[in-house]
Amino acid sequence: MMTLLEVAGLSVIYHTDEGTVYALDKIDLAVGKGEIVSVVGESGSGKSTLANTVIKLLPPYAKVTEGRVLFEGKDILSLSEEDMRSIRGNRISMIFQEPNIALNPLFKIKEFMTDVYLAHHPEASREEALSRSLEMLREARVPTPEDVLERYPHELSGGMKQRVLIATSLLNSPDLLIADEPTSALDVSVQAQIISLLKRLQREKNMSVIFITHDLAVAAQIADRIVVMYAGHVLEEGSVDEVFQKPLHPYTEMLMKSVPKIGAEKIESPPGSIPDLRRRIEQCPFMDRCPKAFGKCREKPPLIALGDRKVACWLYNEG
Amino acid sequence: MSEIILEVENLRKYFPIKTGFKQVRYLKAVDNVSFTLARGETLGVIGESGSGKTTLGKTVIRLYKPTGGKILFNGEDIAPLPRKALKKYRKKMQIVYQDPYSSLNPRMRIRDIIGRPMKIHGLASTREEITSRVKQLLEEVGLPSEVMHRFPHELSGGQRQRIAIARALATEPELIVLDEPTSALDVSIQAQILNLLKEIQRKRNTAYIFISHDIAVVSYMSDRIAVMYMGVFVETGPTREVIGEPMHPYTKMLISVVPEPDPTKKIRVTEDLGEPQLPIDPPPICRFHDRCKYKLPVCDEKAPPKIPIGESGRTVACWLYGKGKTVERN
Ligand SMILES: Nc1ncnc2c1ncn2[C@@H]1O[C@H](COP(=O)(O)OP(=O)(O)OP(=O)(O)O)[C@@H](O)[C@H]1O
Ligand SMILES: Nc1ncnc2c1ncn2[C@@H]1O[C@H](COP(=O)(O)OP(=O)(O)OP(=O)(O)O)[C@@H](O)[C@H]1O
Ligand SMILES: [Mg+2]
Ligand SMILES: [Mg+2]
């Protein structure tokens, strides 16, 4: 599979009033053409920071301190904002958890969608933009798309807004779609429909998707490959089947055991909570909560390859 | 049979809706809901956003005035009571909300947050007494007693939710409504809180109404489950039966779309599943009729009765099971 996106050794910090936050620490990630990669992690693990870095939407007080982001081999981080604008919303699209932030309440859906199309197709007419919008709403299986085009955002349900945003993100046939918790605020029935939709679009258009979620069950449903993040680090990566069948990292294992399953009698509740990111982590980030920790863990384990999987844990690394 | 603490009969909560015209319309957020709850038991309420779960929880413990129906709490009907008369019941019924960030007063220290309800209800009076009970409660919810002196913003989400639970426990309630108590928390923290709630229930024999849209969480926590849709209970029964063998078409649909953390069990959605409407003066027929793929002609005519199934206290409100009809389950 051809690599579309490659993130290598990426570190990002935020300068805040309360000091420096070490949000990403030497992250590696690769996304192949036509592949769905799910980035899974608990709150604060750095998932959104990763997405925002790839699409260059970090706030000004954030800083990439090291690493590269290569899109089709080109270093995105060194692009000017002007060059990035021709990629963002065009070659790489993004959808967020909260559809209301993306949609402008003052504009009808048709105005919103045609503007997005025209921004990257200045030669096109309004009519062309409108028919393209309609086509994409149909692709996204939005019921009564003609009617939806005439509506304002507040006249649509949350699930419908999210489908409109997916349709919008497809207008310019992106090669990569980054979805940051797109279903976390939605009901399960809507979530299931959106997952099916994204999978179908990925198949039919050979689009690559980075699907960010805190929900392991959702990742299991949608992903070809999953990347497990914790406290700004990638702890494990592998095909979804292998990782769920046999998690390697004790953190992944713990995460899986703490998900309540239908019909389960008991769930494990690991002690402790995630470390404070206001100081740089020098040991294994999971060490303090890890039942298998030993002396060596005071040194940070690198992410190493084990066949076609990767894990950052001394249990698998003779060092 | 354990002792019944709560009997709710045909409970209704309607919100008047302002329209441009003079005529008043009602959003029937809770409509003719009935159930019973025993000491030490958990009733789980599942349903999608807007189905009326929170309104039900708040009405049952009389934070809302019901539009109609009965709420027998230890045999006494508290539904018609005026505000003043409710005080002696308040301490027996508590609620824990989803959002640990906004449910705790940011200007109060933890000691006062937990101690206040004790004072209000006259359960402890001296400073020492309150402090020592606060310590006990903190220990019970797994927090060190030093957090007493802190403010809510100095605690993590999971710690704040422990505080909200400790505050609810402060008045020795017999019933606690848990409204999405872990929905804002990470899975590993959620697991801690769920297990804590189970342990508290075992020790204190408290009855819970556990509300969540997360079906796996509810089924882990509950003895029995009620499935709510547009203000009504469409199906109730023992957890294992409702989840394992859903009968109402809505429950079937809902359970079929719950993702499992197992890539070998993928959900497949091929058709449009539709979305619920707002229950504003809904016609007196099944509220799921427009989304139901098993619809019968009668479903457009009359509301289905609550049909008892078997001996386990299970009920389903659906014409498919009416008049001795048997239908293949699944
Ligand atoms: N704009 C910001 N300013 C300051 N700190 C930030 C900002 N965004 C994120 N952070 C911090 O960076 C770390 C990573 O946050 P990030 O939002 O990337 O995590 P996440 O995995 O997306 O979490 P969630 O699941 O809660 O969305 C956290 O410690 C967070 O507090
Ligand atoms: N105070 C109120 N005034 C008017 N309508 C209300 C009020 N509270 C709730 N509603 C309406 O009643 C219905 C039920 O709302 P409720 O909050 O009980 O649902 P819920 O099942 O708890 O949803 P969620 O899962 O989103 O929390 C909704 O249509 C809601 O808009
Ligand atoms: Mg995020
Ligand atoms: Mg609610």
Side-chain angles (χ1 to χ4, degrees):
Chain A
M1 195 183 334
M2 215 188 82
T3 303
L4 181 69
L5 180 83
E6 192 187 340
V7 173
L10 181 71
S11 299
V12 174
I13 57 173
Y14 292 100
H15 291 291
T16 72
D17 296 345
E18 295 175 16
T20 304
V21 177
Y22 296 87
L24 294 182
D25 197 329
K26 299 205 173 73
I27 295 289
D28 293 331
L29 174 89
V31 182
K33 185 101 193 89
E35 186 184 33
I36 303 188
V37 175
S38 187
V39 176
V40 187
E42 298 184 271
S43 179
S45 56
K47 306 180 297 294
S48 297
T49 303
L50 174 62
N52 292 334
T53 311
V54 169
I55 202 158
K56 288 188 72 154
L57 283 178
L58 285 173
Y61 53 87
K63 188 164 178 256
V64 176
T65 52
E66 59 186 325
R68 289 176 310 166
V69 177
L70 304 177
F71 180 67
E72 291 182 326
K74 274 198 309 270
D75 189 359
I76 281 195
L77 297 178
S78 62
L79 291 182
S80 67
E81 175 54 25
E82 195 181 334
D83 289 339
M84 191 60 208
R85 232 175 277 151
S86 69
I87 292 182
R88 197 189 295 129
N90 192 28
R91 309 289 313 283
I92 307 178
S93 286
M94 183 146 171
I95 44 178
F96 301 88
Q97 172 169 354
E98 197 18 87
N100 289 322
I101 294 169
L103 290 164
N104 187 328
L106 300 178
F107 290 107
K108 284 186 179 174
I109 299 303
K110 70 172 181 191
E111 294 160 323
F112 172 74
M113 288 186 76
T114 52
D115 281 355
V116 170
Y117 184 72
L118 292 171
H120 295 283
H121 297 84
E123 76 297 341
S125 67
R126 282 249 155 223
E127 286 67 46
E128 282 169 304
L130 201 59
S131 86
R132 176 80 184 162
S133 303
L134 195 59
E135 190 189 331
M136 288 306 115
L137 288 174
R138 289 212 178 96
E139 289 257 5
R141 299 277 196 273
V142 170
T144 64
E146 291 88 352
D147 172 55
V148 167
L149 280 173
E150 297 298 329
R151 305 272 195 123
Y152 289 94
H154 72 89
E155 299 175 304
L156 301 174
S157 69
M160 199 56 69
K161 279 186 266 201
Q162 204 58 293
R163 271 182 265 188
V164 164
L165 287 172
I166 291 173
T168 307
S169 73
L170 299 174
L171 281 169
N172 302 311
S173 312
D175 300 288
L176 174 64
L177 176 68
I178 304 176
D180 189 356
E181 310 247 11
T183 61
S184 302
L186 304 175
D187 282 321
V188 275
S189 62
V190 184
Q191 169 172 282
Q193 295 180 76
I194 287 183
I195 290 173
S196 298
L197 168 64
L198 286 175
K199 281 207 281 203
R200 182 169 59 78
L201 292 168
Q202 170 247 354
R203 254 194 334 268
E204 289 173 1
K205 299 179 184 297
N206 200 31
M207 182 172 73
S208 308
V209 180
I210 297 178
F211 191 100
I212 292 173
T213 181
H214 65 274
D215 188 335
L216 276 176
V218 169
Q221 293 293 319
I222 195 164
D224 299 316
R225 212 147 49 79
I226 74 169
V227 172
V228 179
M229 288 187 65
Y230 184 75
H233 295 71
V234 171
L235 297 189
E236 172 156 14
E237 187 206 301
S239 80
V240 74
D241 293 322
E242 287 182 312
V243 173
F244 276 89
Q245 199 173 46
K246 190 180 183 310
L248 294 178
H249 202 286
Y251 173 67
T252 316
E253 205 181 334
M254 178 211 88
L255 209 55
M256 287 180 184
K257 285 187 180 153
S258 56
V259 179
K261 288 186 218 41
I262 284 184
E265 280 303 321
K266 181 100 188 77
I267 49 173
E268 294 201 13
S269 60
S273 54
I274 53 168
D276 188 351
L277 297 179
R278 280 172 298 183
R279 101 195 128 72
R280 184 139 189 211
I281 296 173
E282 307 288 358
Q283 57 175 28
C284 165
F286 189 56
M287 179 183 177
D288 296 342
R289 298 173 78 185
C290 184
K292 298 175 182 163
F294 58 107
K296 184 102 174 120
C297 304
R298 272 192 290 276
E299 191 186 322
K300 196 189 289 182
L303 187 67
I304 57 154
L306 283 181
D308 46 12
R309 301 178 65 173
K310 285 182 185 164
V311 64
C313 176
W314 291 119
L315 290 173
Y316 304 92
N317 184 342
E318 305 301 296
Chain B
M1 180 77 203
S2 38
E3 188 190 346
I4 297 293
I5 178 172
L6 185 70
E7 263 182 285
V8 170
E9 279 173 37
N10 296 323
L11 188 67
R12 297 191 295 282
K13 179 63 189 174
Y14 297 173
F15 294 110
I17 299 287
K18 286 194 192 74
T19 55
F21 309 99
K22 282 247 166 62
Q23 127 217 44
V24 187
R25 304 178 71 200
Y26 289 96
L27 189 150
K28 302 189 171 178
V30 174
D31 211 4
N32 282 319
V33 165
S34 306
F35 63 92
T36 60
L37 187 64
R39 257 177 227 291
E41 190 189 28
T42 301
L43 174 73
V45 181
I46 57 176
E48 293 174 281
S49 181
S51 56
K53 306 180 295 297
T54 296
T55 308
L56 174 68
K58 285 184 162 180
T59 312
V60 164
I61 62 166
R62 281 300 319 268
L63 293 176
Y64 284 152
K65 186 161 177 43
T67 307
K70 286 186 185 165
I71 306 165
L72 302 176
F73 184 70
N74 287 324
E76 284 174 88
D77 189 5
I78 60 166
L81 296 185
R83 245 167 194 283
K84 267 196 192 145
L86 284 168
K87 190 174 172 200
K88 69 172 174 163
Y89 298 94
R90 289 263 181 254
K91 65 174 181 234
K92 302 276 174 214
M93 304 184 284
Q94 292 289 343
I95 187 164
V96 173
Y97 294 103
Q98 165 173 354
D99 189 358
Y101 299 88
S102 60
S103 66
L104 304 176
N105 186 337
R107 282 178 298 274
M108 273 164 73
R109 286 183 201 277
I110 302 305
R111 180 198 168 277
D112 300 319
I113 289 175
I114 300 174
R116 214 171 99 99
M118 297 175 195
K119 239 166 133 174
I120 293 175
H121 293 287
L123 296 164
S125 42
T126 66
R127 269 199 80 79
E128 295 72 50
E129 215 179 327
I130 291 177
T131 304
S132 95
R133 297 233 26 234
V134 168
K135 268 191 195 154
Q136 267 170 25
L137 286 165
L138 286 173
E139 194 188 328
E140 187 169 354
V141 299
L143 291 174
S145 53
E146 317 74 276
V147 305
M148 222 165 33
H149 309 292
R150 299 211 211 149
F151 290 98
H153 73 262
E154 298 173 282
L155 303 176
S156 71
Q159 288 174 321
R160 277 185 265 220
Q161 203 54 296
R162 289 176 195 265
I163 299 295
I165 293 166
R167 177 179 59 181
L169 294 176
T171 60
E172 309 277 328
E174 295 170 28
L175 167 68
I176 304 180
V177 173
L178 298 153
D179 188 1
E180 311 257 10
T182 61
S183 300
L185 305 176
D186 281 321
V187 277
S188 68
I189 310 300
Q190 163 170 282
Q192 296 170 0
I193 301 287
L194 295 179
N195 287 337
L196 170 68
L197 287 167
K198 280 201 165 188
E199 192 186 308
I200 288 169
Q201 183 171 52
R202 253 196 314 274
K203 274 199 300 219
R204 296 178 171 241
N205 209 25
T206 318
Y208 289 160
I209 296 178
F210 193 101
I211 294 170
S212 177
H213 65 276
D214 187 328
I215 293 156
V217 168
V218 173
S219 61
Y220 174 62
M221 291 300 289
S222 312
D223 303 298
R224 285 185 304 131
I225 281 190
V227 184
M228 203 166 185
Y229 184 74
M230 285 175 69
V232 300
F233 276 4
V234 294
E235 176 161 5
T236 62
T239 300
R240 208 174 289 272
E241 294 181 26
V242 173
I243 300 296
E245 226 181 306
M247 292 179 79
H248 195 283
Y250 175 66
T251 321
K252 286 187 183 185
M253 188 279 277
L254 197 60
I255 301 223
S256 76
V257 294
V258 176
E260 279 197 59
D262 180 348
T264 64
K265 295 185 186 151
K266 293 227 168 75
I267 296 168
R268 283 206 291 168
V269 183
T270 45
E271 75 252 90
D272 181 20
L273 300 175
E275 291 182 37
Q277 310 290 311
L278 285 177
I280 298 175
D281 290 333
I285 57 175
C286 173
R287 293 188 184 177
F288 192 59
H289 76 283
D290 57 333
R291 294 173 76 187
C292 185
K293 49 179 187 182
Y294 307 98
K295 203 170 86 168
L296 303 171
V298 64
C299 303
D300 281 328
E301 291 157 20
K302 288 187 281 191
K306 210 159 119 172
I307 296 159
I309 309 285
E311 306 297 311
S312 61
R314 189 165 185 191
T315 66
V316 55
C318 175
W319 283 116
L320 288 175
Y321 305 93
K323 306 237 172 71
K325 272 201 193 73
T326 48
V327 178
E328 245 180 77
R329 297 174 173 189
N330 272 321

